[in-house]
Amino acid sequence: MGNLNRREFIAGLAAMLGTAAMTPGLANAVNIGLTFKPSGSNIIFSEQQMMLVARIADIIIPATDTPGAIDAGVHLYIDHIAANWMNKQESNRLLAGIDKIDADAKAKYDSGFLALDNKIQIAIVQALDDNLAQEPAYKMLKTYTVTGYYTSKIGMTVELNYDPIPGPYKEIPLSDVGKAWS
């Protein structure tokens, strides 16, 4: 592969193999995920919105024996997508949807989403997930959480165990592979 780095390789491979089957928007999100480097500060989200998006992403992909969505900086990726990639109408719809999740929690539990018990937060996200077709903002959050996570370095190297240069060819029984990218 010479001087080609892993991200360039994956970006080219994704462009070659995957983008034909994806919607144009998702293909762009994948390409952005492959080159995104978290800055550590939010661009378009308020601090409250950033914390809420981080908590929802953490519920969708929690840390287990592998790092979770927060470890991968997915909330920063979604902020980056909303600020630099979505058109104004899409980003406004996402921001309004994030605020609606918090407002609905306040209306039902007299407390904002982030102040609620962990079990109630998970129940709210599960209800949103069960009604995905009626929750376009949550659908965007979930899509970009998964895209951001699995195109991040953590998602690819730790969760999927991707190794761009695995060494010389040798026969490995399928039962020994274990993960999708091995």
Side-chain angles (χ1 to χ4, degrees):
M1 259 189 272
N3 295 327
L4 189 65
N5 71 34
R6 181 182 57 82
R7 287 204 177 257
E8 291 170 335
F9 173 75
I10 295 298
L13 183 64
M16 183 177 75
L17 298 175
T19 55
M22 293 185 220
T23 63
L26 187 55
N28 286 337
V30 168
N31 287 330
I32 290 169
L34 293 170
T35 58
F36 173 69
K37 294 181 177 37
S39 67
S41 61
N42 43 333
I43 303 167
I44 195 169
F45 292 163
S46 67
E47 287 300 318
Q48 179 74 14
Q49 290 167 329
M50 183 66 87
M51 289 188 299
L52 196 144
V53 168
R55 179 64 188 124
I56 290 173
D58 184 49
I59 291 170
I60 294 170
I61 303 177
T64 56
D65 59 332
T66 58
I70 291 177
D71 299 313
V74 165
H75 53 299
L76 298 169
Y77 165 79
I78 296 171
D79 180 54
H80 175 77
I81 290 282
N84 299 311
W85 175 75
M86 291 179 180
N87 65 40
K88 191 72 175 167
Q89 182 182 11
E90 290 171 322
S91 65
N92 285 341
R93 188 173 49 221
L94 177 62
L95 294 172
I98 293 166
D99 291 341
K100 183 180 179 303
I101 292 169
D102 200 41
D104 289 349
K106 286 178 184 168
K108 187 169 183 177
Y109 300 103
D110 291 328
S111 184
F113 182 86
L114 294 170
L116 294 172
D117 179 77
N118 189 43
K119 289 181 180 178
I120 296 173
Q121 290 176 341
I122 292 171
I124 290 171
V125 171
Q126 182 63 55
L128 292 167
D129 210 78
D130 291 343
N131 297 304
L132 200 57
Q134 289 80 39
E135 302 289 344
Y138 174 72
K139 186 176 181 179
M140 282 194 281
L141 282 177
K142 186 173 181 180
T143 298
Y144 294 125
T145 295
V146 173
T147 304
Y149 183 76
Y150 286 105
T151 56
S152 71
K153 183 176 182 178
I154 286 174
M156 285 195 284
T157 59
V158 179
E159 173 68 18
L160 296 176
N161 204 19
Y162 173 74
D163 184 357
I165 305 172
Y169 175 80
K170 61 182 177 184
E171 290 289 331
I172 300 173
L174 183 60
S175 60
D176 293 349
V177 173
K179 296 214 176 175
W181 289 83
S182 297

